[in-house]
């Protein structure tokens, strides 16, 4: 049973950077990993996803060129480097993971069954 724990959230001014981490316990070989976010009153949306072969990544249009998803296999950790943060990036960010046969669209949250508890990111002007 895979468990996920996020860290790295915080408060930052617009234009700044943060790196989120998601530590996985258990075997995540050949999994999809993804970051989602949810702002108050809004639906959960996909931010970025990666397949554990390391070569296949997916990004929401709103974060392309600003966010980078990567994995540290030695530490079994998923990372999200967030640069040029905007006010609209404010949300609770969640890490998710699941086997590829469950995932047809990596940036859609509905098929993921393993989630972290979330970490808050607040961007201020």
């Amino acid at each position: 049973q895979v468990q996920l724990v996020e860290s790295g959230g915080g408060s930052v001014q617009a234009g700044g950077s943060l790196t989120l981490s998601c530590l996985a316990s258990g075997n995540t070989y050949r999994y999809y990993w993804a970051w989602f976010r949810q702002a108050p009153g809004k639906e959960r949306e996909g931010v970025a996803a990666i397949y554990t072969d390391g070569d296949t990544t997916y990004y929401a249009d709103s974060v392309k060129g600003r966010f980078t998803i990567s994995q540290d296999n030695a530490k079994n950790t998923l990372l999200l480097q967030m640069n040029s943060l905007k006010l609209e990036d404010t949300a609770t960010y969640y890490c998710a993971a699941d086997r590829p046969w469950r995932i047809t669209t990596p940036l859609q949250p509905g098929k993921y069954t393993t989630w972290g508890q979330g970490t808050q990111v607040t961007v201020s002007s």
Side-chain angles (χ1 to χ4, degrees):
Q1 182 75 20
V2 173
Q3 293 184 321
L4 306 174
V5 179
E6 302 98 333
S7 61
S11 297
V12 64
Q13 288 192 319
S17 299
L18 278 176
T19 299
L20 304 183
S21 298
C22 174
L23 175 63
S25 60
N27 186 4
T28 57
Y29 180 65
R30 294 194 185 278
Y31 268 63
Y32 275 105
W33 294 55
W35 288 99
F36 294 86
R37 66 186 180 187
Q38 189 165 17
K42 294 189 176 182
E43 292 187 354
R44 190 167 297 190
E45 64 172 353
V47 175
I50 188 169
Y51 185 54
T52 54
D53 63 2
D55 294 329
T56 310
T57 57
Y58 308 81
Y59 292 96
D61 289 343
S62 59
V63 306
K64 280 181 183 175
R66 300 189 299 122
F67 290 10
T68 302
I69 190 170
S70 63
Q71 54 189 8
D72 184 335
N73 290 325
K75 297 181 180 179
N76 215 22
T77 299
L78 181 71
L79 302 171
L80 184 69
Q81 174 68 44
M82 306 186 293
N83 298 326
S84 302
L85 283 161
K86 303 177 180 180
L87 297 179
E88 53 264 40
D89 294 319
T90 295
T92 301
Y93 283 70
Y94 298 90
C95 174
D98 222 308
R99 297 297 187 98
W101 56 80
R102 293 185 190 273
I103 307 301
T104 53
T105 309
L107 292 180
Q108 290 295 322
K111 298 295 187 180
Y112 288 87
T113 60
T114 301
W115 292 85
Q117 81 288 353
T119 186
Q120 178 67 35
V121 172
T122 302
V123 184
S124 60
S125 59

